[in-house]
């Protein structure tokens, strides 16, 4: 871990315990150049964009970008990391495709996007006579096209509550690489108070979530409130944080919050808001430039994407940052911290987008009623960050810790280690991390090993109620202009009624959507609390 002032609690790029297992996938044919070579390749691509536009201070910007990546302050989505040296780079992670086109065209576009490591979302009305066949065909073709790859790409399909819900729900748990979402309007949520038909539909949805973890929930009216568009059909991308119009795409970057926690001269740790703001601005400038070089799957996607120039700057390492700052996940202090992070994240991104608009022009679809002139229609989205969080060695997105002792299968390697921030905390309190890891592996709890104070500071997902997790999500949603990838991982003993209450709570508190997964409700679940098997994704 880095031992210098501000960045004391983050890994240098490539020093995470999970980075070696990911080197083949991320560094690819440039593996011999190591992780420093990756930074050079990304910066070279960004430099090619800078050279073609009339922005200021390009050299300092490129130096700051290189430093930020080298020191684990931020990382862009993994397609950019992997494909940045391609002659026709595909660097975007998030896509929404119009599936009303001829199916041969649709499948061709899906394959092109998946080959570039992108994930695809699409929406159906649920009234098409063959909509189930379309979902199955896309799912099967995605698997067949990527046969033999370590992990096939993913899709997400969204159905409005007005569609044929029964047929749709029958697919839950049967699809190989497709996440399912149901869009619940404000009108529908209001009708749950006394509408028996609505209540029955809601019950059916909740029972499927209870047994399979699907479908995810999306609140489309919340999306429209923050998107500047009233009547556009949206399709959530694979993880749900980037609601896009059909035939549109976006790319993401995530800022590692642990990198901005510092302690100097033995003083209490603090969060450096000024440096965080600068890093967010850095991400906006980098991501906006990628719009000028992205190779798209179709002319329609290219035109729509360039019309809005959507980006998503988000965060990772939230749980680790809370622990370092002495704030238990879900406490009132952590909720206040989350609201503050949300506000700074959006304001900083907006300020940089406005600066870019002043120099380079607004996004072409901008209208005065959209607010201040800026370069990008959307700015902030918090992804799950599975792959890049592993590279950075930090906690995923805004999720609480899954486990104190981590046992993960990353690509083809089994990795077992004590969570790095837990290890640091134990060392600071005079407890040998190696001994603690051995005791955890034998079945002892952190509370037994380290006492109540440390255990209370470091809750795992199953220690936290769904309501508490949603409160954190809602706080982070409060200022940003896109969505958040968040799974409420809950105990196997969670009831159907609890799931109902959590969905209502998420809607009442302004969330864009959520996923709920009851531990061990699927035999081969991708994440196990006692043995966390992570299959990396496109983020």
């Amino acid at each position: 871990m880095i031992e210098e002032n501000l960045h004391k609690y983050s890994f240098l790029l490539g020093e995470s315990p999970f980075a070696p297992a990911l080197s083949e996938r991320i560094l690819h044919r440039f593996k011999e150049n190591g992780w420093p070579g990756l930074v050079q390749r990304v910066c070279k691509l960004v430099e090619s964009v800078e050279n073609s536009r009339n922005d200021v201070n390009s050299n300092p910007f490129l130096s700051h970008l290189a430093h930020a990546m080298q020191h684990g302050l931020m990382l862009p989505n993994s397609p950019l990391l992997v494909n940045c040296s391609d002659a026709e780079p595909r660097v975007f992670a998030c896509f929404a495709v119009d599936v009303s086109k001829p199916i041969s065209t649709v499948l061709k576009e899906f394959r092109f996007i998946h080959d570039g490591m992108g994930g695809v979302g699409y929406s159906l009305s649920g009234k098409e006579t063959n909509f189930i066949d379309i979902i199955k065909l896309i799912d099967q073709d995605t698997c067949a096209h990527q046969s033999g790859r370590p992990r096939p790409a993913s899709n997400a399909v969204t159905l409005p509550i007005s569609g044929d819900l029964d047929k749709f729900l029958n697919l839950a748990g049967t699809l190989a690489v497709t996440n399912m979402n149901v869009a619940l309007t404000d009108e529908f949520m209001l009708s749950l108070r006394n509408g028996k038909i609505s209540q029955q539909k809601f019950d059916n949805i909740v029972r499927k979530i209870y047994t399979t973890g699907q479908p995810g929930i999306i609140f489309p009216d919340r999306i429209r409130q923050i998107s500047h568009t009233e009547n556009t059909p949206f399709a959530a991308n694979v993880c749900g944080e980037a609601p896009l119009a059909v035939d549109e795409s976006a790319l993401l970057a995530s800022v590692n919050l642990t990198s901005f926690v510092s302690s100097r001269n033995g003083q209490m740790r603090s969060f450096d808001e000024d440096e965080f703001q600068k890093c967010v601005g850095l991400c906006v400038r980098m991501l906006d430039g990628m719009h000028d070089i992205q190779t798209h799957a179709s002319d329609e996607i290219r035109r729509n994407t360039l019309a809005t120039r959507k980006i998503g700057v988000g965060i990772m390492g939230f749980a680790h940052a809370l622990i370092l700052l002495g704030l238990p996940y879900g406490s009132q202090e952590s909720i206040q911290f989350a609201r503050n992070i949300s506000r700074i994240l959006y304001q900083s991104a907006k300020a940089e987008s406005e600066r870019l608009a002043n120099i380079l022009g607004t996004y072409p679809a901008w209208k005065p009623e959209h607010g201040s002139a800026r370069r990008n229609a959307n700015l902030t989205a918090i992804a799950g960050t599975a792959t890049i969080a592993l590279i950075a060695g930090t906690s995923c997105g805004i999720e609480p810790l899954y486990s104190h002792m981590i046992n993960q299968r990353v690509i083809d390697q089994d990795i077992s280690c004590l969570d790095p921030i837990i290890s640091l905390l134990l060392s600071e309190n005079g407890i040998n991390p190696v001994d603690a890891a051995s005791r955890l592996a034998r079945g002892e709890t952190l509370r037994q090993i380290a006492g109540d104070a440390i255990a209370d500071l470091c809750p795992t997902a199953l220690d936290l109620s769904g309501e508490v997790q949603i409160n954190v999500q809602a706080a982070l949603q409060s200022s940003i202009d896109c969505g958040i990838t968040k799974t409420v991982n809950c105990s196997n003993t969670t009831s159907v009624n609890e799931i109902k209450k959590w969905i209502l709570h998420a809607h009442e508190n302004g969330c864009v959507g959520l996923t709920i997964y009851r531990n061990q409700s699927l035999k081969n679940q991708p994440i196990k609390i006692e043995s966390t098997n992570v299959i990396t994704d496109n983020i």
Side-chain angles (χ1 to χ4, degrees):
M1 287 187 131
I2 300 170
E3 296 297 337
E4 60 184 17
N5 291 337
L6 177 63
H7 312 309
K8 182 178 179 181
Y9 303 109
S10 60
F11 288 99
L12 288 167
L13 186 65
E15 291 188 354
S16 157
F18 309 104
L22 287 163
S23 61
E24 186 71 36
R25 172 182 168 90
I26 301 299
L27 304 182
H28 199 37
R29 64 185 184 274
F30 301 102
K31 188 176 179 180
E32 69 277 6
N33 297 327
W35 294 94
L38 174 63
V39 175
Q40 293 172 4
R41 292 192 298 278
V42 171
C43 288
K44 183 178 180 180
L45 180 66
V46 176
E47 183 180 17
S48 71
V49 176
E50 287 288 313
N51 290 338
S52 67
R53 59 203 295 181
N54 189 33
D55 204 348
V56 297
N57 301 321
S58 287
N59 288 335
F61 161 67
L62 292 168
S63 295
H64 293 153
L65 177 62
H67 179 272
M69 291 184 62
Q70 290 165 351
H71 290 81
L73 275 67
M74 54 73 65
L75 285 173
N77 52 214
S78 54
L80 195 158
L81 298 176
V82 174
N83 302 325
C84 60
S85 294
D86 292 354
E88 297 182 337
R90 284 173 274 183
V91 299
F92 283 36
C94 307
F95 296 81
V97 169
D98 181 1
V99 296
S100 67
K101 293 172 285 193
I103 193 63
S104 60
T105 300
V106 170
L107 295 179
K108 181 181 178 181
E109 292 178 3
F110 271 66
R111 293 167 190 163
F112 184 90
I113 292 166
H114 290 149
D115 286 346
M117 298 180 64
V120 187
Y122 62 100
S123 59
L124 292 162
S125 71
K127 296 178 181 179
E128 304 91 345
T129 56
N130 63 339
F131 83 95
I132 294 297
D133 293 334
I134 293 172
I135 296 171
K136 289 181 177 179
L137 178 59
I138 291 173
D139 188 74
Q140 293 164 2
D141 189 78
T142 301
C143 290
H145 180 63
Q146 299 180 91
S147 178
R149 296 184 185 181
R151 177 201 176 273
S154 298
N155 307 312
V157 56
T158 300
L159 193 82
I161 191 64
S162 58
D164 191 332
L165 188 64
D166 290 339
K167 286 184 180 179
F168 186 66
L169 292 179
N170 284 337
L171 287 176
T174 70
L175 301 171
V177 292
T178 302
N179 299 325
M180 298 169 58
N181 299 309
V182 172
L184 306 182
T185 63
D186 289 347
E187 181 182 12
F188 174 80
M189 297 302 291
L190 184 62
S191 72
L192 291 176
R193 295 178 181 176
N194 49 31
K196 291 185 178 180
I197 294 176
S198 295
Q199 290 170 358
Q200 184 60 55
K201 286 185 176 183
F202 193 52
D203 287 347
N204 292 343
I205 292 168
V206 171
R207 280 197 292 270
K208 276 297 180 181
I209 293 172
Y210 178 85
T211 56
T212 71
Q214 292 205 46
I217 301 298
I218 292 175
F219 301 118
D221 294 304
R222 173 63 179 167
I223 295 173
R224 294 187 181 98
Q225 289 170 14
I226 61 178
S227 69
H228 304 308
T229 307
E230 292 298 322
N231 298 308
T232 300
F234 286 94
N237 72 304
V238 169
C239 293
E241 74 284 341
L244 299 166
V246 292
D247 278 347
E248 191 179 32
S249 62
L251 77 164
L252 313 172
S254 296
V255 180
N256 181 5
L257 295 183
T258 59
S259 296
F260 303 94
V261 177
S262 63
S263 59
R264 295 183 176 88
N265 302 319
Q267 296 177 353
M268 183 179 295
R269 297 185 183 108
S270 61
F271 186 81
D272 194 321
E273 294 183 0
D274 290 339
E275 291 298 318
F276 176 62
Q277 290 176 30
K278 293 176 185 177
C279 191
V280 172
L282 188 80
C283 291
V284 171
R285 181 168 177 171
M286 178 196 68
L287 295 180
D288 177 70
M290 295 299 97
H291 275 279
D292 298 335
I293 53 89
Q294 165 72 6
T295 304
H296 287 287
S298 71
D299 288 340
E300 189 68 20
I301 294 175
R302 181 184 63 82
R303 284 193 298 269
N304 292 342
T305 301
L306 287 174
T308 57
R309 302 183 72 92
K310 291 180 179 178
I311 61 173
V313 183
I315 59 172
M316 57 183 169
F318 180 74
H320 276 173
L322 290 182
I323 293 170
L324 290 170
L325 293 168
L327 308 176
Y329 194 106
S331 65
Q332 286 303 310
E333 293 81 4
S334 75
I335 297 295
Q336 182 57 45
F337 177 74
R339 287 188 176 277
N340 195 43
I341 288 294
S342 179
R343 177 185 57 80
I344 297 172
L345 176 63
Y346 181 74
Q347 289 181 351
S348 303
K350 182 171 177 282
E352 176 62 10
S353 190
E354 290 172 346
R355 188 195 70 81
L356 290 171
N358 186 52
I359 296 172
L360 304 172
T362 64
Y363 61 93
W366 177 82
K367 298 176 182 179
E369 56 264 33
H370 293 166
S372 59
R374 61 191 198 188
R375 184 70 171 165
N376 316 95
N378 287 124
L379 295 165
T380 48
I382 300 178
T385 69
T387 300
I388 61 173
L390 289 173
I391 295 172
T394 196
S395 56
C396 294
I398 69 163
E399 298 290 353
L401 300 183
Y402 296 117
S403 175
H404 300 127
M405 187 70 190
I406 306 171
N407 298 289
Q408 294 186 321
R409 184 164 183 80
V410 182
I411 309 297
D412 59 353
Q413 296 184 34
D414 293 312
I415 299 172
S416 179
C417 66
L418 188 63
D419 180 278
I421 296 300
I422 299 295
S423 178
L424 173 69
L425 197 63
L426 292 175
S427 294
E428 290 180 341
N429 284 272
I431 300 171
N432 187 306
V434 176
D435 292 342
S438 297
R439 293 173 67 181
L440 285 167
R442 292 195 299 267
E444 291 187 62
T445 66
L446 185 65
R447 192 172 299 277
Q448 291 171 320
I449 295 167
D452 291 342
I454 290 178
D456 289 343
L457 179 58
C458 309
T460 63
L462 297 193
D463 296 327
L464 299 165
S465 71
E467 183 176 3
V468 166
Q469 295 186 54
I470 290 166
N471 288 343
V472 170
Q473 179 179 346
L476 285 158
Q477 184 69 65
S478 60
S479 292
I480 67 172
D481 62 346
C482 284
I484 297 174
T485 296
K486 175 74 183 81
T487 298
V488 175
N489 286 291
C490 54
S491 167
N492 181 259
T493 60
T494 298
S495 68
V496 169
N497 283 336
E498 284 177 303
I499 294 173
K500 285 183 183 179
K501 291 178 181 178
W502 295 342
I503 296 172
L504 294 171
H505 186 67
H507 180 259
E508 291 167 357
N509 285 274
C511 294
V512 166
L514 78 163
T515 301
I516 299 171
Y517 182 75
R518 189 173 57 88
N519 191 37
Q520 299 178 351
S521 55
L522 293 177
K523 291 182 180 179
N524 297 314
Q525 67 184 46
I527 296 174
K528 298 180 181 178
I529 301 304
E530 65 280 337
S531 179
T532 307
N533 299 310
V534 170
I535 304 175
T536 57
D537 65 7
N538 63 290
I539 302 303

